[in-house]
Amino acid sequence: MILGDLGAQVIKVERPGAGDDTRAWGPPFVGAESAYFLSVNRNKKSICVDLKHPRGVGIIQELAAVCDVLVENFLPGKLARLGLGYEQLCAVNPGLVYCSISGYGQTGPQAQSPGYDSIASAASGMMYITGSEDGEPVRPGVAMTDLATGLYAHGAVMAALLQRHKTGRGVHIDCNLLSSQVSCLTHIAANYLNGGQEARRWGTAHESIVPYQGFSTKDGHIVVAAANDQQFVSVCKVLKLKELTNKPEYKSNKLRVHNRRELLHILSQRFLQEKTADWLQKFEGTGVPVGPINNIQEVFSDPQVKHNGLIQQMEHPTAGRITVPGPAVRFSSFSHAEATPPPLIGQHTVQVLRQTLSYSDDIINALLESKAVTQNEVS
């Protein structure tokens, strides 16, 4: 989707019938489409191809011959058995960037295990470190492992295209959920690998910085991130607890971490005495990073969210006007093209066969009759 935001023509290959599993991930639904599917599929064309049909495999081979990038998420080896593996396709198109996304990698003891976000989140340690301090492991509120893997894949594809520009050769990219999430453990991983320190859950808090967490207020919650000693002094001034800055046990972050329980109890009691908006106003201009814990309605009412173009509307062929989160990145010298809505399943099959592969109407009709491909009737 990000590549599509940047102007790439993205052709989404779906199986006949149900298509992408996320089309059924609801409620809520907008018309017949799940809101989940709509959120991550703008700027794509959908073609329905039966890879169990010999002509279906041939269509993908021909597309790979004229495309710059192929992204696939089959179990390792599955596409090669169909004649669609990297070695087979790069023989036809040496410049092809072939990005494989799997659960655990193209090789290794778990390579043949299916990969899902929640499983990889659990296996990678992400779920183990997420949750309240005294609670059970918790799945993050969105599919962070899937999202991180997509972001890694996007960067890898862009790097591979740059390399191809220099060498003329494509490359096979091995991107997987486990590696993406383990690499995102950052300091948690380093704490264990270098110091033998097993991780634990901290809720909204940070194990190495105090105060750096959420606090309950009179009417909601606020997050305060005092990452250095000066910011801690500023927090104490705002809270009118300046006497804390003179206590030797709070003079440095290391000491505050060591004495966190007593300090956080004092701060927590103070934050409960006023409303979130009042605290936010008091912190303005202090240099201390603070913010409210917003619900989703509050997120999309935020003036900065609106200013950043994060509310994107478009006309869907059956669902009507839909709204999805917009691109996260903006550029100084160009703007994103007007987004196209997420496609209906098989909405662009005939268009792609005709315009990209130059198939005649007779060939297209024969493919449709043989069920090698299907075309959405709405189109």
Side-chain angles (χ1 to χ4, degrees), residues 265-325:
H265 175 74
I266 295 170
L267 299 181
S268 296
Q269 293 303 305
R270 180 70 181 98
F271 275 112
L272 283 170
Q273 296 174 13
E274 299 192 41
K275 295 181 178 180
T276 300
D278 294 331
W279 283 124
L280 293 174
Q281 187 175 25
K282 291 176 186 293
F283 273 104
E284 282 187 12
T286 65
V288 178
V290 297
I293 297 182
N294 287 330
N295 62 31
I296 305 306
Q297 181 183 23
E298 290 166 334
V299 169
F300 289 103
S301 300
D302 189 300
Q304 190 66 47
V305 169
K306 295 178 180 179
H307 173 80
N308 287 359
L310 292 170
I311 302 174
Q312 189 172 54
Q313 295 185 321
M314 57 194 77
E315 290 293 330
H316 187 272
T318 60
R321 195 159 189 79
I322 63 170
T323 308
V324 298

Side-chain angles (χ1 to χ4, degrees), residues 187-199:
H187 72 283
I188 298 295
N191 289 349
Y192 172 76
L193 294 172
N194 296 282
Q197 179 179 320
E198 180 56 84

Side-chain angles (χ1 to χ4, degrees), residues 19-67:
D20 185 334
D21 284 345
T22 65
R23 290 182 180 275
W25 287 6
F29 291 92
V30 185
E33 300 288 3
S34 74
Y36 195 112
F37 177 84
L38 295 177
S39 73
V40 290
N41 280 283
R42 65 176 176 265
N43 297 324
K44 300 178 184 178
K45 296 179 179 180
S46 170
I47 65 171
C48 242
V49 181
D50 184 358
L51 295 183
K52 296 179 181 178
H53 194 291
R55 291 302 304 276
V57 171
I59 290 169
I60 304 304
Q61 291 171 333
E62 291 184 50
L63 281 172
V66 297
C67 287

